[in-house]
Amino acid sequence: SSGINAEYGGSFLTEIVREARNRPVNPVKNSGGSSSDLYDKTREIVLENYKPSTSVTVERMRFRACTPSITDTHETYIEKLRRKAQHCKFNEGYSEEDAITDQFMDKCLCTI
């Protein structure tokens, strides 16, 4: 891993560019010192250090907004809900299965 330290006094991006300038160019990928060398090194560092985080609140919002499409069978809609529920971190008091059941009843059975 690289030595990125955002607390150094600069921004995360400033730290990435500083490290990219000090990183050697890969001679296989870049020959001749083109102007894209800094971009390539910076991109490499960003990809090494970027760790996306998920917001449980956003994931639950997406779960609640999930509605069956016209082509969904009950089974495919439930599978879609199961995939979305994996990121919602429901707890023992209100489990994934409880949330899926409630969502199914709300979005499917209320239209009968």
Side-chain angles (χ1 to χ4, degrees):
S1 180
S2 65
I4 300 296
N5 180 5
E7 295 176 18
Y8 171 68
S11 69
F12 182 67
L13 185 57
T14 303
E15 290 294 314
I16 289 172
V17 171
R18 182 176 291 123
E19 182 172 324
R21 286 187 176 139
N22 295 324
R23 187 174 281 200
V25 175
N26 183 345
V28 175
K29 289 174 77 177
N30 298 311
S31 58
S34 70
S35 62
S36 68
D37 290 346
L38 181 59
Y39 169 80
D40 291 338
K41 291 189 290 182
T42 302
R43 183 178 183 280
E44 183 180 306
I45 293 167
V46 169
L47 292 175
E48 288 173 4
N49 289 280
Y50 178 67
K51 298 186 181 33
S53 61
T54 57
S55 165
V56 173
T57 303
V58 170
E59 294 302 325
R60 287 183 182 177
M61 181 195 72
R62 288 179 180 153
F63 176 82
R64 294 288 175 221
C66 182
T67 57
S69 68
I70 294 171
T71 60
D72 279 342
T73 64
H74 288 153
E75 291 79 16
T76 57
Y77 179 56
I78 289 171
E79 281 305 310
K80 189 187 302 184
L81 289 174
R82 285 190 200 290
R83 283 192 304 275
K84 290 190 179 293
Q86 290 175 350
H87 307 288
C88 294
K89 296 183 182 176
F90 295 112
N91 57 37
E92 292 296 319
Y94 189 69
S95 69
E96 243 180 60
E97 284 302 312
D98 292 336
I100 291 168
T101 301
D102 289 349
Q103 185 73 0
F104 180 82
M105 289 173 50
D106 182 47
K107 301 297 181 184
C108 291
L109 298 182
C110 290
T111 59
I112 294 177

